[in-house]
């Protein structure tokens, strides 16, 4: 990211939102709202003193997944690029109560600007790559798993923060009380995935992620680890070898979908524990397994606003909300809209190597287009027969691309309408609308469609085939 | 065994959504009866009223117009134009004595192969119940040949 941030040909706009996209391949006009971060980027040196001095602590729901804190002026994480912090308006004491300004007082380069406004920037681009990622499935939706209700049920992202050396516990795997090391841990696979009540698809990453968690727990705490899985999906290079390694380490695997996670003890040995109720389908028995900690491997979901984003860029989403590629096998990078490419989880659930590969492929496709200097377009265009045009102007309002110009009568010449072939996209609406039949659509002419119609009803058998 | 009536339906689909939906129905190996024959247009907005009338005049029992969902049109808003022509034509064919449900409109996105197949199947059954489109003076000789061809395929 650092090399991206400092590359002279890359203009990185963090904390910004695309609000409007107009034009077509090679000639997009994009409007971006640069949200006010209340820090002047030109003056900020990224020293971090403001974050140190800010008196307001806020629970970090984004990067720390709700298990850690950040300040009201913050960067998402220490290595973030760009390094400029942002003031969280809803939590900043100055914005809420009108006093404080600690960050302004301590800033050596006077970079804090409480009066900063959102800024709209417009620029021209030739191609666009969408890599908008995914949302994590909200494990609260499956209430029988107890997330949000039972303290020691964690989500995968929360566990990631616990096990990270830079996380709130410094990498110590502990229960919600912050001190107790778990003696036994249950990891539940397929939470919100492969489940007709939530998402039908497989989220791809959870099996490997759960294996990694099992390995980390074993390594750091020596606890007994149970993996509750439906099927192990360890496709791709070196993945199954890792599964074998985790098996050898002594992690226990129970094949079956977890019915419930509860704290209601029924038998001795269950008191004060979380009990995982599961059918072990390999022995055909219901089991109650008491553990100290449960980790839910929540699945991936499309971004909540993917439909709106797709609409903004003129591409469509499948029913679940993942962006649709041009072809599921032969062209998983391009979209039906020329000049718009997709990469990563925006297209569908995938792991890091696949995302990196798709991102590189999308970049290469764009470079290819740039190198070509010109693009091939479909020859499907409308054209108006000047002689037959009655200058009624009906077609003028039909065109959404304003490709039809009206030429006024002049020097005795009749008025008529005319198609600008550079703007025409070839939809054919004007062809159908023309009451004089003066507009011809190449490839989809009325004659061709009528011939197809007759052909489908076997009316033109024996007729000469048009050359 | 009485021979079942096999309707002949002409479907106009747009290149970007509904034709792709039919395509994806195919690649998902979904089945729908062969009574519908599709004509691909670039956009449902290309629907000319004359195509629909020609289809009816030449013996089609029903016509399906299919395009992208409202707001999803590849050409911004042309499916709305298809929709307004559809509403107009429905009234027009009713005045000519043709049951309005013989002309149908279906929005199907490229991902909705399942929906496309299901809706087309439903429509075919509906038209089957409705029976053949009988023109006074009957111009149906060419079509009866066609019907038996479909019946063969359906068997």
């Amino acid at each position: 990211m650092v090399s991206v941030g400092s590359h002279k040909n890359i203009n990185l706009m963090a904390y910004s939102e695309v609000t409007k996209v107009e034009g077509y391949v090679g000639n997009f006009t994009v409007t971006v709202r640069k949200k006010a971060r209340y820090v002047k980027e030109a003056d900020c040196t990224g020293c971090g003193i403001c974050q140190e001095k800010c008196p307001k602590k806020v629970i970090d729901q984004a990067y720390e997944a709700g298990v850690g804190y950040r300040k009201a002026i913050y960067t998402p994480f220490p290595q973030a690029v760009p390094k400029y912090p942002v003031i969280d308006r809803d939590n900043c004491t100055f914005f809420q109560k009108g006093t404080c300004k600690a960050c302004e007082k301590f800033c050596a380069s006077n970079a804090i600007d409480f009066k900063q406004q959102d800024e709209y920037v417009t620029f021209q681009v030739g191609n666009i790559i969408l890599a908008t990622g995914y949302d994590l499935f909200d494990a609260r939706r499956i209430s029988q798993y107890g997330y949000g209700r039972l303290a020691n049920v964690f989500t995968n992202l929360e566990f990631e923060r616990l096990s990270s050396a830079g996380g709130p516990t410094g990498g110590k795997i502990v229960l919600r009380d912050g001190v107790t090391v778990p003696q036994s841990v249950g990891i539940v696979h397929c939470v919100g995935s492969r489940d007709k009540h939530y998402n039908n698809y497989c989220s791809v990453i959870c099996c490997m992620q759960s294996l990694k968690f099992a390995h980390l727990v074993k390594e750091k705490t020596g606890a007994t680890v149970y993996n509750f899985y439906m099927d192990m999906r360890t496709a791709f290079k070196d993945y199954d070898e890792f599964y074998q390694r985790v098996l050898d380490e002594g992690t226990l695997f129970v094949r079956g979908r977890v019915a419930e996670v509860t704290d209601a003890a029924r038998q001795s040995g269950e008191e004060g524990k979380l009990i995982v109720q599961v059918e072990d389908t390999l022995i055909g028995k219901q089991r109650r397994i008491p553990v100290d900690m449960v980790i839910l491997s929540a699945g991936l979901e499309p971004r909540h606003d993917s439909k709106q984003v797709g609409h903004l860029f003129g591409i469509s989403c499948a029913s679940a909300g993942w962006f649709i590629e041009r072809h599921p096998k032969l062209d998983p990078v391009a979209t039906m809209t020329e000049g718009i490419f997709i990469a990563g989880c925006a297209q569908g659930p995938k792991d890091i190597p696949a995302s990196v590969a798709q991102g590189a492929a999308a970049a290469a496709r764009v470079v290819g287009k740039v190198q070509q200097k010109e693009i091939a377009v479909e020859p499907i265009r409308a054209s108006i027969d000047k002689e037959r045009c009655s200058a009624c102007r009906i077609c003028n309002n039909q065109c959404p691309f304003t490709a039809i110009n009206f030429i006024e009568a002049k020097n005795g010449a009749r008025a008529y309408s005319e198609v600008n072939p550079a703007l025409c996209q070839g939809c054919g609406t004007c062809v159908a609308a023309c009451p004089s039949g003066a507009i011809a659509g190449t490839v989809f002419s009325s004659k061709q469609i009528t011939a197809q119609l007759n052909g489908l009803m076997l009316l033109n058998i024996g007729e000469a085939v048009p050359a | 065994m009485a021979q079942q009536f096999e309707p002949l339906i002409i479907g106009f689909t747009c290149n970007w959504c509904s034709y792709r939906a039919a395509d994806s129905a195919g690649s998902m190996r979904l089945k729908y009866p062969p009574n519908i024959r599709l004509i691909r247009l670039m956009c449902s907005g290309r629907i000319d009223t004359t195509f629909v009338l020609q289809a009816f005049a030449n013996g089609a029992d029903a016509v399906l117009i299919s395009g992208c969902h409202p707001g999803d049109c590849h050409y911004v808003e042309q499916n709305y134009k298809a929709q307004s022509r559809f509403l107009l034509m429905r009234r027009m064919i009713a005045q000519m004595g043709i049951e309005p449900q013989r002309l149908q409109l279906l929005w199907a996105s490229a991902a909705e192969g399942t929906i496309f197949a299901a809706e087309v199947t439903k429509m075919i059954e509906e038209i089957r119940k409705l029976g053949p489109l009988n023109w006074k003076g009957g111009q149906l000789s060419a079509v009866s040949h066609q019907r038996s061809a479909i019946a063969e395929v359906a068997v």
Side-chain angles (χ1 to χ4, degrees):
Chain A
M1 272 309 278
V2 177
S3 54
V4 169
S6 57
H7 196 286
K8 67 177 171 33
N9 286 348
I10 299 177
N11 180 10
L12 182 67
M13 296 174 81
Y15 204 50
S16 306
E17 201 175 327
V18 175
T19 54
K20 202 160 109 191
V21 181
E22 286 172 311
Y24 44 90
V25 56
N27 195 19
F28 288 111
T29 306
V30 182
T31 309
V32 174
R33 177 164 75 103
K34 277 183 86 173
K35 298 181 205 169
R37 58 167 77 227
Y38 309 107
V39 173
K40 285 181 272 185
E41 294 180 11
D43 297 336
C44 177
T45 59
C47 68
I49 186 100
C50 50
Q51 299 181 52
E52 218 170 279
K53 298 293 180 185
C54 176
K56 181 76 186 244
K57 257 189 167 184
V58 184
I59 293 176
D60 186 352
Q61 294 293 352
Y63 186 70
E64 296 285 3
V67 291
Y69 293 89
R70 60 167 168 81
K71 294 294 183 66
I73 181 166
Y74 69 107
T75 51
F77 53 98
Q79 300 82 12
V81 175
K83 58 194 185 299
Y84 319 118
V86 55
I87 295 179
D88 169 9
R89 221 188 140 105
D90 295 338
N91 286 304
C92 171
T93 315
F94 172 72
F95 278 115
Q96 296 308 315
K97 299 199 176 122
T99 55
C100 179
K101 292 195 174 184
C103 46
E104 194 182 33
K105 269 172 225 143
F106 286 97
C107 182
S109 52
N110 292 320
I112 307 287
D113 175 10
F114 289 108
K115 293 200 181 77
Q116 205 175 55
Q117 296 289 323
D118 287 0
E119 200 185 321
Y120 287 84
V121 194
T122 305
F123 50 86
Q124 299 272 322
V125 293
N127 296 275
I128 295 170
I129 300 172
L130 291 177
T132 46
Y134 67 91
D135 279 343
L136 194 70
F137 176 81
D138 182 3
R140 283 182 187 85
R141 287 169 62 193
I142 308 184
S143 57
Q144 63 268 34
Y145 287 174
Y147 177 67
R149 182 162 51 87
L150 304 171
N152 292 320
V153 178
F154 290 80
T155 63
N156 36 357
L157 273 195
E158 285 179 337
F159 182 80
E160 284 284 357
R161 292 315 297 154
L162 285 188
S163 65
S164 164
T169 57
K172 283 202 194 76
I173 295 168
V174 286
L175 297 182
R176 203 69 83 167
D177 61 10
V179 283
T180 320
V181 176
Q183 298 299 306
S184 51
V185 176
I187 302 172
V188 183
H189 294 223
C190 297
V191 176
S193 320
R194 301 182 67 201
D195 183 337
K196 65 180 179 184
H197 302 295
Y198 304 99
N199 296 309
N200 285 325
Y201 53 81
C202 168
S203 288
V204 181
I205 65 162
C206 332
C207 276
M208 289 312 292
Q209 172 191 267
S210 303
L211 290 177
K212 182 186 83 175
F213 290 172
H215 171 74
L216 286 174
V217 172
K218 271 270 174 225
E219 191 179 68
K220 291 191 172 180
T221 67
T224 311
V225 184
Y226 295 91
N227 267 258
F228 303 99
Y229 69 102
M230 289 165 65
D231 296 289
M232 284 311 296
R233 299 197 160 180
T234 52
F236 304 120
K237 192 178 174 183
D238 292 340
Y239 284 8
D240 207 63
E241 288 89 327
F242 186 72
Y243 175 36
Q244 293 302 328
R245 181 175 156 197
V246 174
L247 277 172
D248 292 342
E249 283 171 359
T251 295
L252 303 165
F253 286 81
V254 179
R255 185 173 188 273
R257 189 183 266 293
V258 171
E260 189 186 21
V261 177
T262 174
D263 57 353
R266 261 195 239 156
Q267 300 154 9
S268 65
E270 290 182 354
E271 297 86 359
K273 300 235 177 196
L274 294 171
I275 302 105
V276 180
Q277 173 81 48
V278 60
E279 183 193 356
D280 189 331
T281 57
L282 294 182
I283 55 169
K285 271 192 184 145
Q286 283 287 337
R287 291 176 70 181
R288 286 171 69 81
I289 298 175
V291 291
D292 294 328
M293 178 193 232
V294 169
I295 306 165
L296 303 178
S297 271
L300 311 187
E301 286 196 322
R303 294 284 292 174
H304 57 280
D305 59 353
S306 62
K307 291 234 157 69
Q308 290 92 300
V309 172
H311 197 218
L312 186 65
F313 290 90
I315 65 173
S316 46
C317 296
S319 49
W322 310 107
F323 291 140
I324 298 179
E325 60 279 4
R326 185 173 273 261
H327 191 282
K329 294 187 183 93
L330 303 176
D331 201 348
V333 175
T335 63
M336 293 307 284
T337 305
E338 200 69 43
I340 311 268
F341 298 89
I342 47 178
C345 286
Q347 184 242 347
K350 57 176 69 66
D351 60 1
I352 294 169
S355 298
V356 170
Q358 201 180 13
R365 290 286 290 272
V366 169
V367 170
K369 282 227 186 295
V370 172
Q371 293 284 319
Q372 277 172 357
K373 300 249 186 335
E374 51 186 33
I375 52 156
V377 290
E378 296 272 348
I380 303 164
R381 294 284 179 271
S383 59
I384 300 179
D385 182 350
K386 211 164 114 180
E387 300 301 316
R388 289 171 80 176
C389 176
S390 66
C392 68
R393 305 194 69 172
I394 285 175
C395 58
N396 293 194
N397 297 329
Q398 294 281 324
C399 185
F401 307 105
T402 59
I404 304 181
N405 299 321
F406 183 66
I407 314 292
E408 299 281 352
K410 185 165 78 174
N411 304 335
R414 238 165 26 86
Y416 60 96
S417 293
E418 181 183 70
V419 176
N420 176 352
L423 291 177
C424 176
Q425 304 286 308
C427 68
T429 307
C430 58
V431 186
C434 181
S436 323
I439 310 183
T442 31
V443 190
F444 290 88
S445 72
S446 297
K447 211 172 152 189
Q448 283 167 310
I449 293 169
T450 310
Q452 280 189 55
L453 200 56
N454 291 339
L456 287 181
M457 297 202 266
L458 304 181
L459 290 178
N460 53 359
I461 284 177
E463 272 178 32
V465 179
Chain B
M1 199 176 79
Q3 206 185 359
Q4 192 181 223
F5 164 60
E6 294 295 344
L8 171 63
I9 300 174
I10 297 292
F12 292 100
T13 57
C14 83
N15 181 50
W16 308 99
C17 296
S18 45
Y19 191 79
R20 307 272 158 180
D23 215 16
S24 88
S27 59
M28 283 192 270
R29 304 280 189 272
L30 297 174
K31 283 193 177 132
Y32 55 81
N35 302 58
I36 189 162
R37 274 100 202 271
L38 301 181
I39 294 181
R40 178 173 68 106
L41 305 172
M42 285 311 277
C43 179
S44 51
R46 177 68 180 90
I47 274 291
D48 195 327
T49 37
T50 49
F51 298 157
V52 176
L53 296 179
Q54 246 168 11
F56 282 127
N58 290 343
D61 296 301
V63 173
L64 174 73
I65 300 170
S66 188
C68 312
H69 282 279
D72 278 351
C73 183
H74 188 78
Y75 302 103
V76 189
E77 55 185 25
Q78 305 305 63
N79 51 355
Y80 293 115
K81 282 157 193 159
Q83 188 182 28
S84 50
R85 286 178 200 156
F86 160 77
L87 294 170
L88 175 77
M89 280 186 279
R90 260 206 155 180
R91 274 160 101 187
M92 195 161 75
I93 61 168
Q95 287 164 8
M96 298 164 91
I98 301 174
E99 295 90 340
Q101 59 269 44
R102 289 190 189 272
L103 179 62
Q104 299 201 3
L105 181 70
L106 168 65
W107 302 136
S109 81
E112 292 175 345
T114 335
I115 293 176
F116 186 85
E119 288 295 317
V120 163
T121 312
K122 209 173 92 190
M123 179 180 177
I124 290 169
E125 289 315 312
E126 208 177 307
I127 302 303
R128 205 195 293 283
K129 277 204 196 97
L130 218 53
L133 174 59
N134 287 317
W135 285 105
K136 278 220 175 97
Q139 201 230 2
L140 293 171
S141 57
V143 181
S144 55
H145 167 64
Q146 165 72 358
R147 287 243 169 70
S148 52
I150 299 178
E152 268 167 42
V153 177
V155 170

